[in-house]
Amino acid sequence: MKYLFELNHPKHYYQFKYIMQSLKEQGHEILVLARHKDVLIKLLEQEGVKYIIFGKHHKTLYTKIIGTFGLMPNYIKIARNFNPDVIVSKASWYGTATAKLLHKKSVIFPDSEVVKVTNKFVVPLCTRVVTPQPFKLNYGTKHVRIPGIFEDCYLAPQVFTPNPAIVDQYHLKQPYAILRFVGWEANHDVGNAGFNLQQKEELVHTIAKHMTVYISSEKELPKHLAQYQLPTPASLIHHVLSAAYLYVGDSQTMASEAALLGTPAIRSNTFVGPNDMSNFIMLQNKYGMLYNISNPTEAIEKASELAASPKKEEWTQKREQYYEQVGDINAQIVQLLTNI
């Protein structure tokens, strides 16, 4: 069979990486379509992945809407030439609409219940919806639930082994904390926010009293924070997170990744609250691996507490217990894709 995988974010590549490898090993043909987003393209090149760019990443809502008129024809042309049996994406309208137009099957993997575009425009077009088990919405007969969360696709012990040599190779000073600040320019981020500049500064200075601070930021850091820039390439971030003693940020993805790698993790943004996404609620309430804190001041206070008294060994044990309960979800997804 022929599978077209659409990637719009580094997380999408990591999530599908071993699934694509397994499909190739079984003799299936794979085509990777990528959005021209600098971090994603750098990652694909570092990983040696062949890809075709189907469009550029737009930052504002207006340019996203206008950009659709250029993206869609290009997407359809590429898909028609490749002639896939299945189009796979995180939750892409482009992919599902193209599949519908070309009379192909499509599979999406949403894990955020709050993304209205997915629920209204993408789910109705797709063949299958695959979500984590605790996902709060129900999509009926096309809905397939799997244990754990999608970050397990690339962080489970079966597929990921941390390389401690990375710490010495890039001269990272232990113990260290990783801070992650996102750009808040994705369409699903509209109306939400994380740490402002003053809060970022306070967070850095608070943690720096107890351990080394490294920052990963989507936006360019101001000069007075640039000295804290994480020196490692994006492709090594999971090795770096695994060796960290603390993670704090307003990122959705990296908070889950840090928790699953056995690093005490704090997530703070305006998504946190009564209607928060099920995967974050599960990691906090069921496994005690993540702190979801909506108030930035309270998040900084918790960061100070954890930095002053690191609990790395405790979180490593939590990780081991978690993966004793979650099987190999890659194998389950590959089976689903080949039997569709």
Side-chain angles (χ1 to χ4, degrees), residues 92-132:
S92 167
W93 180 83
Y94 299 110
T96 53
T98 298
K100 202 75 172 177
L101 180 67
L102 300 181
H103 305 289
K104 306 298 182 180
K105 295 178 180 179
S106 61
V107 183
I108 63 170
F109 292 79
D111 54 7
S112 300
E113 296 93 333
V114 300
V115 183
K116 296 179 181 179
V117 172
T118 298
N119 300 327
K120 290 185 177 181
F121 302 107
V122 182
V123 170
L125 295 174
C126 74
T127 310
R128 291 284 186 276
V129 185
V130 183
T131 73

Side-chain angles (χ1 to χ4, degrees), residues 184 193-195 249-252 267-273 276 293-295:
W184 297 99
F195 293 105
D250 50 24
S251 167
Q252 306 283 62
R267 164 179 167 260
S268 182
N269 57 46
T270 54
F271 281 108
V272 177
D276 203 356
I293 304 174
S294 59
N295 186 305

Side-chain angles (χ1 to χ4, degrees), residues 179-181 195-208 213-217 219-231:
L179 309 187
R180 171 63 172 174
F181 305 127
F195 293 105
N196 62 34
L197 180 56
Q198 182 179 349
Q199 291 160 348
K200 291 175 183 178
E201 293 169 346
E202 183 179 355
L203 183 61
V204 169
H205 296 148
T206 298
I207 296 176
V213 172
Y214 294 107
I215 300 176
S216 170
S217 177
K219 288 187 175 181
E220 185 176 352
L221 292 169
K223 289 184 179 180
H224 60 288
L225 292 180
Q227 61 180 309
Y228 299 100
Q229 180 77 48
L230 181 66

